[in-house]
Amino acid sequence: MAGPPANKAYPELAEALGRMLDEIDSSFRKAGYSGTPVMMYLAGGLAVNYYCGTRYTEDVDAFFDRRIQLGRCAVAYRHRDGSSASLYLDPNYNPTFGLLHDDYEAAAREWPGIGNEGRLVRLMVLSPLDLAVTKISRYADTDVADIRSLASVTRFSADQLRRRATEALSNYVGNLPPVRQSIELICKEVARVAERDRALEQAAEKGFAPPKTKEGPGPEIS
């Protein structure tokens, strides 16, 4: 990947997330905490929206570098069509049930403009590769679509994904053959995405317009 990917998050989602971070910051301050900022690592659909701008999500899948105690954390906002929506921190999200590379912290990127400099919680977004890796073990339809979008937008290759996921397997305990199979299946999907994107780019260079696709936010899927 060439350079850090651009922030493609829906503005209304980013604004809602910023208010949620303000609530977390306020909770820490009211509890008397004044130490170094707590690192918050963003995964899930909201991280995909950051990189790809592909779909809404209601839940915030995130984990922290310290043990924390938070009450219910949710904010209301509106979709761009005016419909009401909410964003909540999923208390059940647990990265230990999925693949995650040991070096995820070094590869994570700060969300620019989210206000990290003024809070006791500092939001980081998992890198596109690490985000894709977290979605392999579950391998639901939404996960496959998210990985395809990440590969297309951020341009990681099938080989890069296979290498990162295989390295992550070294600390994964349990029934590994299905996960290895999912790695191979998704890498084939990513290779097909790259081939499709190359064909579209070549067609554009020759003056052929690609087929029109529906624009705007996708369905709300957690």
Side-chain angles (χ1 to χ4, degrees):
M1 292 174 292
N7 180 355
K8 292 182 170 62
Y10 299 159
E12 61 274 23
L13 260 179
E15 188 273 337
L17 177 60
R19 286 189 284 119
M20 177 180 288
L21 293 170
D22 286 341
E23 289 190 5
I24 296 173
D25 174 76
S26 176
S27 175
F28 288 169
R29 294 179 188 277
K30 287 179 181 177
Y33 180 72
S34 59
T36 57
V38 175
M39 305 299 288
M40 176 178 174
Y41 294 94
L42 184 66
L46 189 51
V48 175
N49 187 269
Y50 171 84
Y51 289 117
C52 304
T54 48
R55 64 179 176 92
Y56 283 110
T57 184
E58 292 183 342
D59 58 334
V60 177
D61 293 334
F63 56 99
F64 301 81
D65 70 342
R66 297 180 216 178
R67 305 293 184 187
I68 63 170
Q69 173 61 40
L70 290 173
R72 185 174 184 273
C73 195
V75 296
Y77 74 104
R78 290 191 178 276
H79 289 172
R80 62 183 62 177
D81 64 3
S83 59
S84 61
S86 63
L87 192 67
Y88 71 95
L89 182 65
D90 186 351
N92 298 315
Y93 181 74
N94 188 338
T96 61
F97 292 120
L99 285 178
L100 184 63
H101 197 279
D102 281 349
D103 295 334
Y104 72 89
E105 292 173 302
R109 294 104 188 271
E110 194 164 0
W111 185 312
I114 202 69
N116 276 343
E117 61 279 356
R119 300 191 186 99
L120 290 174
V121 57
R122 183 180 179 190
L123 181 70
M124 305 294 288
V125 188
L126 291 184
S127 73
L129 266 179
D130 286 333
L131 180 56
V133 167
T134 66
K135 291 178 162 289
I136 290 175
S137 53
R138 187 176 68 168
Y139 208 73
D141 289 345
T142 303
D143 298 313
V144 174
D146 284 344
I147 295 172
R148 286 173 57 91
S149 295
L150 286 165
S152 180
V153 173
T154 68
R155 298 301 182 96
F156 59 72
S157 69
D159 287 342
Q160 287 174 315
L161 180 58
R162 181 181 290 104
R163 185 180 311 113
R164 194 74 169 176
T166 301
E167 290 171 355
L169 271 177
S170 64
N171 280 332
Y172 199 59
V173 179
N175 186 15
L176 298 184
V179 182
R180 290 194 177 98
Q181 182 181 27
S182 294
I183 291 172
E184 291 308 311
L185 289 173
I186 196 58
C187 286
K188 289 178 181 177
E189 285 288 326
V190 169
R192 282 193 283 268
V193 167
E195 184 178 354
R196 178 206 65 190
D197 289 349
R198 281 194 298 269
L200 290 173
E201 289 171 358
Q202 291 170 358
E205 289 173 358
K206 295 177 181 178
F208 297 114
K212 292 184 178 180
T213 58
K214 183 180 178 181
E215 296 182 355
E220 188 164 332
I221 306 173
S222 295

